Amino acid sequence: MTSETYRNPVLDADWSDPDVVRVGDDFYLTASSFGRVPGLPLLHSRDLVNWTLVGHALERLEPAEEFAVPRHDCGVWAPSLRYHDERFWIFWGDPDQGIFQVNAPAVRGPWTRPHLLKAGKGLIDPCPLWDEETGEAYLVHAWAKSRSGVKNRLTGHRMRPDGTGLLDEGKVIVDGDRIPGWFTLEGPKLHRHDGWFWILAPAGGVETGWQGAFRSRGFFGPYEERIVLEQKDTDVNGPHQGAWVRTPSGEDWFLHFQQRGAYGRVVHLQPMRWGPGGTSRSSEAESGGGWPVLGDDGAPVAEHRRPDLPPQPPAAPATDDDFPGGRYGRQWQWTANPGDGWATQHSGDGLRLTCVRSQDAHDLRKLPHVLTQRLPGAPCTAEVELRLDSDEPGARAGLAVLGDAFGWIGLQRGTDGTVHLVHRFAEAVAEGERDAAHPRLAPEGRARLRIEIGAGARCRFSADVGDGFRQSGPVFAATPWRWVGALLGLFALAPAGQGHAGAAAFTRFRINAS
C-alpha cells in the first residue's frame, strides 16, 4: 500500500450494515447497533478511508422496559442515513416493532426521540427518498421471515414529505421469488439517478450472497435487475448491503460489509462507475450501459487508488481509554438500556463500575451492565488494570470476550475475605460459566488483565497479580451472536442480595496491534 492507495477493509471491526451520506465536504456513516446502548453510531470522514466516531443518534432503546435486559440480536437493524431539508435523517427497522425515524439539524444533534413511522412485525431495512424533481417522498423496506413469515421481497410506499407517516398500505415492488436464482433479498437503498429510480440491494445471504442493482422509470416498477458485485475469485465472501456516495468532484464510491464470523461485519470501500457491466438474470433486462459497475468489474478490490479527495491524516475509531473523571469514551456501549449509578464520575482517572447485584451473576450474556466495544478485526492485545473495591463475598469484576459463548478473566472476593484471580468461560449451549483455570491468590486485590486475540479470533488470557504476566487456561475461540460480532467487555457484579456491594476500578484500557 502506498500513500496514493488504500487497503480494505477501511473499517476493520463490526460496523454492520453501513450507510453513508455526503454533506458538503464531509461524509457521515451509521450502522446497525442492535440491542446495545447508545445506538446508531455516527462516524465522520473526509476521504472515505479514515473514519472517526463522533457520537450516537439514539440515547436509549424504546420501549425502555423491553430493553432493560439484553436483546443482543434485536433492536436497531440496518439503518439508512440521509440529508434532506437541512436535516439529518435516520430510518431503521426494529423487527419486533416496526419502522422508526429520528432526525437532527446537525450530526452531533440534538436528535429527536424515535418516531414510529409504521408498526408491524418483520418490517426491516427501510430507506426513504425525497424526489427533488417532483416533491414526492417514498420509502422502501424489506421483510424478516422470522417475524412475518415473509422474505425475499421489497415493499414500497408513498411517504409524507415530513417523514412522519406513510400514505398508502404499500405494494411489493420487487419480488425476489420471481427472479431466477435470487433469495433473501433485503437491505434496499433507494436513489434517484439519470431519470431512473434505483434500488441497490443485496441477496443470497450475508455470508455467501451478492450485491444487486434494480432500476425502473417509476417508483412502483416494474424493475429490472443486475448483479453488480460478487465474490468471484476473491476472498471477500458475500459482498453485501451498503451505500453509494458521490464525491464533490463527481467520483462514485460504494461502501459495503463482509461477514467475518466473530469479527462481525467489516466495511470495504469499492470504486464505482457507470456503464456496461453486471450480470443480468432477467429476460427483460436491457443490454448496454447505464448500470453501476462496482469494484474491479464486479469483483471486490483488496487495494485501490484513493478517492480524489484532500489527503487526511490516518484515523480510526478510538479504542483506548483512560476514563478521565470516570467517564467512558464514545466507543463503549452497554448491553441494554443503562441503569442509574452503574458508572460513577469522580475527580481522577479510571472507570468506577458498581458491583451490580444480579441473580444472573453466572452468565454475562444475561447482564445489562456489561460495558462493551467492538472486537478488532486484526490480531491485537487488549489490556486493562483492575482493582476490586468490594468486601462482598462473591463480588467480581473483569475483562471479557462476549458472544454466544464467552470467556473472562478478573478478580473475585472469597467468603474468607481474600481476593482471587479467576478465569471462567461458558460454551454457547451452556447455561452458566465454569472455571477455565484454577483460581490463584491476588493478595493486593489488583491485577493487570490481558487478552491476546490471534488469527481466527482465538483468544489467550493472561494476568499479572504482582509476579509478572502468566497465561491462564486454554485458548478460547470467540464466537458471534447470530447477527452481532463478538465484543470486548468490562463488568462488575455481585450475587443477589441487599445493600450496596462496592465497586471495581478499571484504568488504562489499551488495544495494541500484534
Side-chain angles (χ1 to χ4, degrees):
M1 187 172 68
T2 69
S3 60
E4 286 78 36
T5 63
Y6 70 90
R7 180 172 291 279
N8 276 317
V10 292
L11 284 167
D12 198 5
D14 187 24
W15 301 96
S16 178
D17 313 316
D19 197 23
V20 180
V21 68
R22 177 177 68 87
V23 180
D25 294 327
D26 298 285
F27 300 90
Y28 299 99
L29 180 150
T30 192
S32 295
S33 50
F34 298 98
R36 303 193 302 280
V37 180
L40 291 172
L42 297 163
L43 284 74
H44 171 255
S45 176
R46 288 208 159 182
D47 64 0
L48 292 172
V49 174
N50 296 285
W51 293 88
T52 57
L53 179 62
V54 297
H56 292 81
L58 191 61
E59 289 188 6
R60 300 177 74 86
L61 288 160
E62 296 186 7
E65 60 276 8
E66 292 193 16
F67 290 96
V69 296
R71 302 179 66 203
H72 297 289
D73 290 310
C74 301
V76 176
W77 283 21
S80 291
L81 174 62
R82 293 292 183 265
Y83 187 76
H84 167 70
D85 197 23
E86 299 186 345
R87 296 187 73 83
F88 289 87
W89 302 77
I90 301 179
F91 289 67
W92 75 93
D94 179 316
D96 300 302
Q97 298 182 73
I99 296 170
F100 286 91
Q101 170 259 105
V102 292
N103 60 86
V107 76
R108 289 173 173 82
W111 289 85
T112 60
R113 285 191 61 174
H115 171 73
L116 184 60
L117 195 72
K118 182 181 180 181
K121 295 282 189 178
L123 308 177
I124 59 169
D125 307 350
C127 183
L129 172 70
W130 287 271
D131 188 339
E132 303 297 344
E133 296 178 13
T134 66
E136 298 280 346
Y138 304 95
L139 183 130
V140 63
H141 70 82
W143 294 86
K145 187 175 182 179
S146 59
R147 272 70 163 189
S148 65
V150 175
K151 73 167 189 174
N152 204 32
R153 65 187 62 172
L154 306 179
T155 296
H157 296 264
R158 293 188 184 276
M159 184 176 73
R160 290 183 56 175
D162 63 3
T164 59
L166 302 177
L167 298 176
D168 55 39
E169 293 302 312
K171 175 186 175 183
V172 175
I173 57 175
V174 179
D175 186 345
D177 291 345
R178 295 180 177 270
I179 308 174
W182 284 57
F183 61 96
T184 317
L185 175 63
E186 58 188 355
K189 294 295 183 284
L190 184 58
H191 302 273
R192 196 86 158 93
H193 172 67
D194 197 25
W196 297 85
F197 287 91
W198 289 91
I199 299 174
L200 302 179
V206 295
E207 295 184 355
T208 58
W210 57 87
Q211 181 66 36
F214 300 81
R215 72 179 185 183
S216 174
R217 291 295 186 185
F219 172 70
F220 288 102
Y223 283 84
E224 52 187 325
E225 91 288 338
R226 289 193 178 185
I227 294 175
V228 293
L229 187 70
E230 54 188 327
Q231 181 172 354
K232 296 189 176 180
D233 60 355
T234 74
D235 60 0
V236 182
N237 58 293
H240 209 81
Q241 189 169 328
W244 164 36
V245 66
R246 177 165 285 177
T247 69
S249 66
E251 285 187 347
D252 292 311
W253 295 86
F254 186 78
L255 293 106
H256 67 90
F257 76 73
Q258 174 197 10
Q259 174 68 38
R260 290 193 58 222
Y263 299 113
R265 301 173 180 181
V266 303
V267 178
H268 292 240
L269 176 65
Q270 302 296 336
M272 176 175 168
R273 60 183 173 85
W274 293 85
T279 302
S280 171
R281 292 197 180 184
S282 168
S283 60
E284 300 176 2
E286 298 177 3
S287 60
W291 288 86
V293 182
L294 305 183
D296 181 10
D297 287 331
V301 300
E303 186 174 338
H304 195 269
R305 173 189 60 81
R306 287 175 175 264
D308 181 20
L309 292 164
Q312 302 294 320
T319 55
D320 296 352
D321 207 340
D322 287 319
F323 310 108
R327 297 173 178 85
Y328 49 86
R330 297 186 182 101
Q331 65 267 35
W332 297 98
Q333 296 170 292
W334 299 101
T335 47
N337 282 333
D340 294 335
W342 288 358
T344 57
Q345 296 181 9
H346 52 89
S347 59
D349 288 349
L351 177 69
R352 288 189 61 81
L353 292 183
T354 299
C355 291
V356 179
R357 292 189 180 274
S358 174
Q359 62 182 6
D360 294 315
H362 61 286
D363 192 341
L364 298 185
R365 295 165 296 197
K366 297 180 180 180
L367 300 181
H369 54 276
V370 182
L371 194 60
T372 68
Q373 64 168 280
R374 293 160 179 82
L375 187 73
C380 63
T381 299
E383 188 172 313
V384 72
E385 299 175 9
L386 168 64
R387 184 182 74 243
L388 183 61
D389 296 330
S390 172
D391 295 326
E392 181 75 13
R396 69 204 72 160
L399 171 65
V401 175
L402 186 61
D404 198 26
F406 69 86
W408 67 274
I409 192 166
L411 300 175
Q412 178 169 319
R413 179 73 65 178
T415 55
D416 61 355
T418 59
V419 176
H420 284 82
L421 178 80
V422 295
H423 176 195
R424 302 206 173 105
F425 78 103
E427 303 163 84
V429 296
E431 295 183 357
E433 64 190 24
R434 58 193 181 96
D435 284 334
H438 295 292
R440 56 191 177 99
L441 197 65
E444 302 297 323
R446 298 170 178 263
R448 295 167 65 199
L449 310 173
R450 178 183 290 171
I451 304 176
E452 297 172 73
I453 306 159
R458 294 175 64 81
C459 302
R460 171 69 75 180
F461 292 76
S462 59
D464 175 8
V465 293
D467 53 358
F469 274 102
R470 292 164 57 181
Q471 289 189 354
S472 178
V475 169
F476 172 81
T479 63
W481 281 282
R482 187 175 184 186
W483 308 124
V484 181
L487 301 164
L488 292 170
L490 304 176
F491 71 92
L493 62 88
Q498 300 296 318
H500 184 66
F506 295 87
T507 54
R508 286 186 52 79
F509 182 89
R510 296 288 184 271
I511 294 180
N512 297 310
S514 298

